[in-house]
Amino acid sequence: MSPTLVTNSIRRLRFEHREMTQQELAEKIGVTRQTVNAIEAGKYSPSLEVAFRIAAVFGVGVDEVFQFAGPEPKR
């Protein structure tokens, strides 16, 4: 499995929210801890629904959790 072009701030956000564990986040968004770990490590890109759930847990927009690290699209 190759790394994705999407980076994220999940680890920072977890620690800013009373050092939430991956397990606690997983339970809040309805996935396994292993899934949270893979997303956080950049090994897996979440579905749009899961991305919105993660953002909602932290009370931020999706763009504050996920950033696209690929080339700018051609216009």
Side-chain angles (χ1 to χ4, degrees):
M1 186 183 305
S2 61
T4 68
L5 294 177
V6 177
T7 61
N8 67 74
S9 303
I10 297 172
R11 181 175 170 82
R12 177 183 57 79
L13 289 164
R14 284 193 304 104
F15 281 88
E16 288 176 357
H17 286 79
R18 63 173 186 71
E19 297 188 12
M20 181 186 297
T21 66
Q22 289 180 340
Q23 182 64 43
E24 289 172 320
L25 178 57
E27 290 170 4
K28 290 177 183 289
I29 63 173
V31 300
T32 66
R33 183 202 59 79
Q34 290 85 350
T35 298
V36 169
N37 180 270
I39 294 168
E40 193 173 295
K43 295 178 181 174
Y44 172 75
S45 290
S47 68
L48 190 53
E49 182 177 343
V50 170
F52 275 104
R53 286 181 188 171
I54 293 169
V57 165
F58 298 121
V60 299
V62 174
D63 61 334
E64 290 185 52
V65 181
F66 298 97
Q67 303 79 39
F68 182 65
E72 289 293 319
K74 295 180 182 177
R75 297 182 190 242

